[in-house]
């Protein structure tokens, strides 16, 4: 705790009162200026958001109208969805509009009959939302990733996943029957470029940022913020703009046609630091004026306080000597001011009493510190034991089933994110029930312990060994390349077990099933099933082997 002398306190009080007066005035003026700047910035951003939302709505309606009119072309109404003129119409449309990534026609059963560049031809789109909605009427849908189409198109230049906006309209013959759907996928980047171009008409030095938000407050754009949740209250503010979380933000709903399956908001925001910079400059000037006034008042107060504070400061210096255990501390016990004289006498007598008690406290503290240190060490060891019990098999000492499940899930997530393959070995002791029935469960437990030790000794430090259950063990291999490929590691384990001598029992063999993670795996269960199937193949082939 920082302390100050009496003269410093008096000086600070005088200076503080002057500074406080100016601060109150300054903050009041600054508050008014800040609110006015927020109002101006919010209204400006609201105007930008409205113009951006209107521009985006016009573009979306034009694309939907374009697809709708194309679906009513005479060549389509004839009913022959394989007619070459249909392809000509779609190619002309996609060549004139760079935003279209794909355009095609599908029959009433959902099979793509024709498409620009032949993409997705003869493939079924019956389960796609745009096809199902297009069979009923005109449709505009939210952005999404089209897995099949993305594989056939070049990836985004910045490494981001390809996303598309769907447009669809029913194709009806001359009798009014729906015979198919005309669908188009527009690049999501087309939408974002419209928004960015509208916002960039403003001064770029103002650091204005545009966001696209869906109906439930989730950020769709920019990609760096995709998935974040915006408070619903900030999207529907009565004034159209709010200030919070470091930004002044204006929000406007994008007008969308009645057939559009989307509800977007355009949010245009600016950092508060930039929006309120003029008000802050005014506040800083007022603060500087207050500091100068406080310095002048402080100098006057310091001169007046010096004469009163000197005797108290002498007492304070002597008390500090006692605190630092330095000899020679003298407390003046006579003074013209009665309170100061009494203070010197009281401090002198208290000092003698405190010195005697200090020795007693030192002894008690030493004993208490030793007790705390011992209790801390006991608690640390107990926590370590509890952690090992929670993650390790009590019999064999290797990891238990619960820790194995967690590790397998971690490897699966890492594989899905990075594509770095890993392998799983399932190991089962052959005829283990015969060991338990012949020699008893105690000998069976010894066999399991020796098996666990052999498996750990023949695997690498980076491999993960766990008891899967009963006489089964599992090994996760994070590396699958040569020379330590999964089948090599599995064969090494099998050979080591077959060559070992087990007390009382003699020879024990194991069967091993090997499985490697594949991109088609939706979760770790598929990998487990394959390894288990290979294990039973190894047993069915005669045991003591690797499958």
């Amino acid at each position: 705790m920082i302390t100050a002398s009496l003269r410093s306190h008096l000086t600070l009080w005088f200076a503080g009162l002057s500074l406080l007066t100016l601060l109150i005035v300054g903050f009041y003026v600054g508050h008014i200026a800040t609110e006015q700047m927020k109002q101006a910035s919010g209204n400006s951003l609201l105007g930008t958001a409205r113009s951006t939302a209107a521009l985006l709505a016009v573009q979306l309606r034009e694309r939907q109208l374009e697809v709708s009119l194309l679906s009513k072309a005479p060549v389509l109404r004839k009913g022959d969805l394989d007619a070459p003129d249909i392809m000509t119409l779609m190619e002309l449309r996609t060549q004139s509009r760079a935003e279209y990534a794909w355009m095609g026609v599908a029959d009433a059963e959902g099979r793509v009959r024709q498409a620009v560049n032949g993409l997705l031809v003869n493939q079924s789109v019956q389960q796609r939302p745009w096809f199902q909605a297009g069979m009923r009427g005109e449709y505009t849908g939210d952005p999404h990733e089209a897995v099949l189409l993305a594989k056939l198109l070049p990836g985004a230049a910045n490494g981001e996943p390809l996303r598309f906006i769907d447009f669809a309209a029913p194709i009806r013959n001359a009798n009014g029957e729906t015979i198919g759907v005309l669908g188009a996928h527009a690049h999501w980047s087309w939408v974002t470029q419209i928004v960015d171009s509208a916002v960039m008409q403003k001064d770029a030095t103002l650091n204005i940022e545009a966001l696209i938000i869906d109906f439930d407050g989730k950020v769709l754009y920019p990609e760096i913020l995709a998935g974040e949740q915006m408070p619903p209250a900030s999207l529907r503010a009565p004034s159209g703009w709010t200030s919070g979380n470091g930004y002044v933000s204006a929000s406007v709903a994008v007008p969308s046609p009645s057939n559009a399956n989307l509800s977007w908001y355009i949010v245009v925001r600016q950092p508060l630091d930039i929006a309120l910079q003029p008000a802050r400059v005014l506040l800083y000037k007022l603060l500087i004026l207050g500091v100068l006034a406080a310095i002048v008042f402080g100098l006057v107060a310091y001169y007046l306080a010096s004469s009163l504070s000197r005797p108290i400061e002498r007492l304070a210096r002597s008390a500090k000597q006692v605190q630092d255990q330095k000899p020679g501390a003298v407390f003046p016990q006579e003074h013209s001011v009665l309170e100061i004289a009494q203070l010197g006498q009281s401090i002198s007598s208290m000092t003698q009493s405190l010195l005697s008690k200090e020795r007693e406290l030192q002894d008690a503290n030493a004993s208490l510190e030793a007790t705390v240190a011992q209790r801390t060490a006991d608690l640390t060891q107990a926590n370590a034991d509890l952690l090992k019990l929670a993650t390790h098999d009590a019999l064999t000492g290797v990891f238990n089933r619960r820790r194995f499940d967690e590790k397998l899930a971690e490897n699966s997530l890492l594989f899905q994110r990075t594509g770095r393959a890993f392998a799983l070995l399932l190991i089962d002791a052959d005829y283990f029930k015969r060991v338990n029935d012949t020699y008893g469960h105690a000998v069976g437990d010894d066999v399991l312990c020796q098996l666990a030790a052999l498996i750990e000794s023949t695997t690498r430090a980076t491999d993960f060994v766990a008891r899967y259950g009963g006489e089964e063990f599992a090994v996760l291999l994070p590396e699958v390349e040569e020379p330590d490929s999964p089948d090599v590691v599995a064969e090494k384990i099998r050979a080591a077990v077959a060559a070992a001598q087990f007390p009382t029992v003699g020879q024990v063999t194991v069967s091993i099933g090997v499985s490697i993670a594949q991109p088609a795996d939706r979760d770790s269960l598929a990998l487990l099933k394959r390894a288990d199937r290979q294990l039973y193949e190894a047993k069915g082939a005669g045991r003591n082997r690797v499958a």
Side-chain angles (χ1 to χ4, degrees):
M1 179 179 177
I2 299 176
T3 57
S5 63
L6 178 60
R7 76 179 74 179
S8 298
H9 276 290
L10 292 174
T11 302
L12 290 174
W13 272 104
F14 277 96
L17 287 174
S18 62
L19 181 61
L20 179 62
T21 301
L22 285 173
L23 283 178
I24 292 173
V25 175
F27 277 113
Y28 178 72
V29 174
H31 174 72
I32 294 176
T34 298
E35 292 303 316
Q36 290 178 346
M37 289 303 302
K38 283 184 183 179
Q39 182 86 23
S41 177
N43 290 335
S44 175
L45 295 176
L46 184 59
T48 302
R50 284 172 175 167
S51 62
T52 303
L55 176 61
L56 180 56
V58 168
Q59 292 291 329
L60 289 171
R61 281 196 292 269
E62 287 182 356
R63 298 294 80 74
Q64 178 61 68
L65 180 60
E66 201 169 46
V67 172
S68 177
L69 292 176
L70 188 60
S71 71
K72 296 179 176 65
V75 66
L76 286 166
R77 290 176 61 84
K78 291 179 180 179
D80 183 8
L81 299 184
D82 295 322
D85 290 342
I86 297 176
M87 177 62 72
T88 303
L89 281 176
M90 293 192 297
E91 288 178 342
L92 288 174
R93 189 63 59 188
T94 55
Q95 289 170 4
S96 65
R97 293 290 183 180
E99 59 265 22
Y100 287 124
W102 179 86
M103 183 177 290
V105 292
D107 58 24
E109 286 72 35
R111 184 171 64 88
V112 177
R113 302 289 288 271
Q114 293 194 73
V116 175
N117 297 324
L119 300 178
L120 303 182
V121 171
N122 290 325
Q123 295 198 35
S124 175
V125 294
Q126 188 178 27
Q127 301 303 318
R128 298 289 183 260
W130 65 265
F131 174 80
Q132 296 175 356
M135 288 292 291
R136 298 188 296 270
E138 297 177 0
Y139 171 79
T140 301
D142 268 330
H144 65 93
E145 294 183 23
V147 178
L148 292 177
L149 186 58
K151 292 180 180 178
L152 303 175
L153 293 174
N158 56 2
E160 296 172 356
L162 290 175
R163 303 171 75 192
F164 307 96
I165 297 291
D166 293 336
F167 299 96
I171 302 171
R172 295 187 173 94
N173 59 19
N175 298 325
E177 298 174 349
T178 301
I179 60 173
V181 174
L182 173 65
H185 294 338
H187 288 288
W188 173 242
S189 58
W190 162 68
V191 174
T192 62
Q193 287 169 4
I194 293 173
V195 174
D196 287 340
S197 63
V199 174
M200 288 304 292
Q201 293 175 2
K202 297 289 183 179
D203 189 349
T205 60
L206 297 178
N207 289 341
I208 295 176
E209 180 184 21
L211 291 81
I212 305 176
I213 314 294
D214 68 7
F215 69 95
D216 60 355
K218 187 171 64 177
V219 177
L220 300 176
Y221 175 80
E223 293 294 337
I224 193 172
L225 302 176
E228 290 191 12
Q229 196 72 25
M230 298 288 287
S234 66
L235 301 178
R236 305 175 183 88
S239 63
W241 62 271
T242 60
S243 62
N245 297 324
Y247 290 92
V248 178
S249 304
S251 173
V252 174
V254 177
S256 59
S258 59
N259 58 5
N261 186 28
L262 50 84
S263 299
W264 294 346
Y265 291 87
I266 297 297
V267 174
V268 181
R269 66 184 188 179
Q270 182 182 32
L272 269 174
D273 290 340
I274 295 177
L276 303 181
Q277 188 174 7
R280 295 182 189 278
V281 171
L282 174 62
L283 180 60
Y284 292 152
K285 290 180 179 179
L286 291 174
L287 289 176
I288 292 173
L289 179 62
V291 170
L292 293 176
I295 292 174
V296 173
F297 277 94
L299 291 175
V300 175
Y302 182 82
Y303 175 77
L304 295 174
S306 295
S307 59
L308 179 63
S309 65
R310 285 195 183 94
I312 298 177
E313 290 172 359
R314 285 197 296 268
L315 284 174
R317 285 195 295 270
S318 297
K320 186 67 170 61
Q321 282 183 281
V322 174
Q323 178 185 351
D324 297 339
Q325 299 181 352
K326 294 179 180 179
V330 176
F331 297 96
Q333 300 182 18
E334 294 183 0
H335 196 273
S336 57
V337 178
L338 177 62
E339 287 79 3
I340 295 177
Q342 290 176 341
L343 182 61
Q345 296 169 3
S346 300
I347 293 177
S348 179
S349 61
M350 282 192 301
T351 300
Q352 301 300 323
S353 175
L354 289 174
L355 288 175
S356 62
K357 292 183 178 180
E358 182 181 3
R359 299 185 186 90
E360 299 176 4
L361 288 174
Q362 288 176 347
D363 295 339
N365 284 339
S367 175
L368 180 60
E369 289 174 359
T371 302
V372 170
Q374 181 61 41
R375 295 292 186 273
T376 302
D378 293 343
L379 180 59
T380 301
Q381 183 59 44
N383 287 337
D385 293 341
L386 285 174
L387 179 60
K388 185 169 183 180
L389 285 173
T391 58
H392 286 70
D393 179 53
L395 175 63
T396 62
V398 298
F399 289 104
N400 58 19
R401 173 66 178 274
R402 175 183 175 186
R403 182 65 186 119
F404 166 77
D405 290 340
E406 293 173 353
K407 190 69 174 179
L408 179 59
E410 292 171 7
N411 278 269
S412 295
L413 290 175
L414 182 63
F415 172 58
Q416 293 172 9
R417 186 168 64 250
T418 66
R420 183 177 179 182
F422 69 102
L424 169 64
L425 309 183
L426 282 184
I427 306 168
D428 187 79
D430 297 331
Y431 303 112
F432 186 75
K433 184 175 183 302
R434 187 183 301 170
V435 173
N436 278 336
D437 293 343
T438 305
Y439 302 102
H441 289 281
V443 173
D445 289 347
D446 293 339
V447 169
L448 290 177
C449 291
Q450 188 172 347
L451 268 177
L454 283 169
I455 294 171
E456 282 194 311
S457 66
T458 51
T459 52
R460 299 159 296 188
T462 56
D463 298 334
F464 184 91
V465 180
R467 185 180 179 190
Y468 191 69
E471 66 273 18
E472 276 192 283
F473 294 86
V475 180
L476 289 174
L477 307 177
E479 301 290 342
V480 297
E481 282 91 17
E482 299 289 347
D484 292 330
S485 59
D487 54 339
V488 172
V489 175
E491 179 58 29
K492 187 187 295 184
I493 294 172
R494 186 207 64 76
V497 174
Q501 284 296 318
F502 290 78
T504 306
V505 177
Q507 186 184 32
V508 173
T509 62
V510 292
S511 299
I512 304 177
V514 182
S515 179
I516 300 177
Q518 298 177 3
D521 292 343
R522 300 186 63 182
D523 51 32
S524 57
L525 184 59
L527 178 66
L528 270 171
K529 286 182 177 179
R530 284 201 305 277
D532 193 55
R533 189 165 56 249
Q534 295 299 329
L535 173 61
Y536 277 96
E537 285 187 12
K539 285 185 171 294
R543 293 180 169 80
N544 190 23
R545 61 188 65 234
V546 175

